Amino acid sequence: MKQRLTVGQAVVRFLACQWTERDGVEQRAVAGFLGVMGHGNVAGIGQALLQAQRTGSPDMPFRVARNEQGMVHTAVGYARMRNRLSAMACTASIGPGSTNMLTGAALATVSRLPVLLLPSDGFASRLSSPALQELEDPRAGDVSVNDAFRPLSRFFDRIQRAEQLPSALLGAMRVLTDPAETGAVTLCLPQDLQAEAYDYPDELFAKRVWHVPRQVPDPLAVERAAAVIRGAHRPLIIAGGGVIYSEASAALDRFARETGIPVADTQAGKGALDWDHPNSVGGVGATGNPVANRLARNADVVIGVGTRYTDFTTASHTAFQRPDVRFVNLNVTGFDAGKLSASPLVGDARAGLNALLPALHGRRFATDFSDDVAAWRVAVEHAYGGRGTPGELPTQAEVIGVVNEACGARDVVVQSAGSLPGDLQRLWRARDPKQYHVEHGYSCPGFEIAGALGIKLAEPGREVFALIGDGSYLTMAQEIVTAIAEDLKLIVVLLQNHGPASISALSEQVGSQRFGAGHRYRNQRSGDYDGARLTVDLAANAESLGAAVVRCRGIADLVEGLKQARESDRLTVLHIETDPEPSAPAPESWWEVPVAEVATLHSTRSARAEHLAGKRDQRHHLRPGGV
């Protein structure tokens, strides 16, 4: 039997029938659509979603977004909260509507998170070409702006004929549900094709379950890795996002307690163990803390679990200083497992830890780090600083402390860019694997509110706190409107520090004197942006978008405002002015940003000397890990 459907209708019906299964638990593989309608998709995917909504067949929820980049961020937040087992589809119109999704696509692929992108394209028939918003390339007739998605996607296809749709949809689902391959998946849909009808076989729309296995590492690889670890004297575990996605916290807890090995975490792995776990030493690397970084410098074996070793984690390859250091990497992807010349364990984090522990034959390591951890916790308390000093602007660390205190164990803090990720990784005390959501793989300004919306869609029972600086807020705040339209409550803490604090500090570090990094008027005499501060009222902006707004004049106001926000059923923005100067203890680490090799400015020449000093500690890590 066959069903005569438009391509748009077939896409919606197919996606509604897709499920994932892991550990015997099934859930929708594509939980719904986010979209911004335009002339390129309103008659195709748009009509199909309307028809589904009016008839209830198929069941495919749709939510209107306000910005195409923002809706991809929302889909990313959703997928991460669902441990990559459920995703969302994003539909956009031709031209700018589609290219607005490019940044979100890059973020999803960098962070290995599944999103389905359905950008509209020109006319497949080409009879109307060049259509409105269509790119003409005189070198090739089959090129469109959507080709820009190719390097950003883990799977890309452009459907030119209706009968091509089944193979494209199956290919898309294969990648969306594969934890080793997942990321942005892009299916380009010409606008006329979306409305074209075709007789599709019933089998295409049968319930299809995509089983997500827990791959167990090869037994010989386990034994090789165990031999390396058994020979260690000062091992260190680095827990990445793979621990959380595979729901391996209990396995990591057991592994750490039975071996005595300290556990550091990455941005994506924070919360894998509770902050006060006896083996937890906190964040490692450029945004980590001194305790974890000292352990990393002295480690002779580093066990990476579910981490892809970004430059922040490795401190630009200066974190691990012992010349004899070896690496054992447990990762679902062979690409990541093989990094740093490691002894690779390709497999699921939970299954891998459970296989590796008995292979250690009861080996326990006498690593003493408790005094250093206790001292660091005192330093965190000092940075949190109680309730602020009257008459002075509160520090960013004080704000983080108050929000951390207000955040329940199952609540979520969301962040992405600026100086906040570093302060959060050092200072935040996570009490649940899903409490800490800092999207630092792409560190995209403007992710915070849109991502928080996706998290709320995934877990409506949790309070979601979007912690955002004024720079990121100015990049993208309009998904406040989407959240309000959907009656989804968020708590947004907006820090007004009059410019991008992290880039201002970094600019000084590289000798560029905060050039172009402040929110100030241009000085007409000097030509620089060193005039008075811009008089921008972001609280009024949030209020104009429909949010309830609390203007906090200090820490005491913030404490009270957070109480009110928790009790309210409305999206609430708490606006507080903060001291832009760094307030968290230094990480005792390094991050490489290039400095001009020659310069007339003394500040740049001094920065170059410091940069070269840092580079002397960089390591290649070429020693075979299994030898």
Side-chain angles (χ1 to χ4, degrees), residues 563-582:
K563 291 179 182 177
Q564 295 175 19
R566 290 193 68 98
E567 294 169 359
S568 173
D569 59 0
R570 292 185 60 191
L571 187 151
T572 302
V573 174
L574 299 106
H575 178 277
I576 183 167
E577 187 174 3
T578 55
D579 187 337
E581 292 302 313

Side-chain angles (χ1 to χ4, degrees), residues 30 64 130 153 281 407 426 601:
V30 177
V64 177
S153 303
V281 297
C407 194
R426 280 191 288 279
L601 298 175

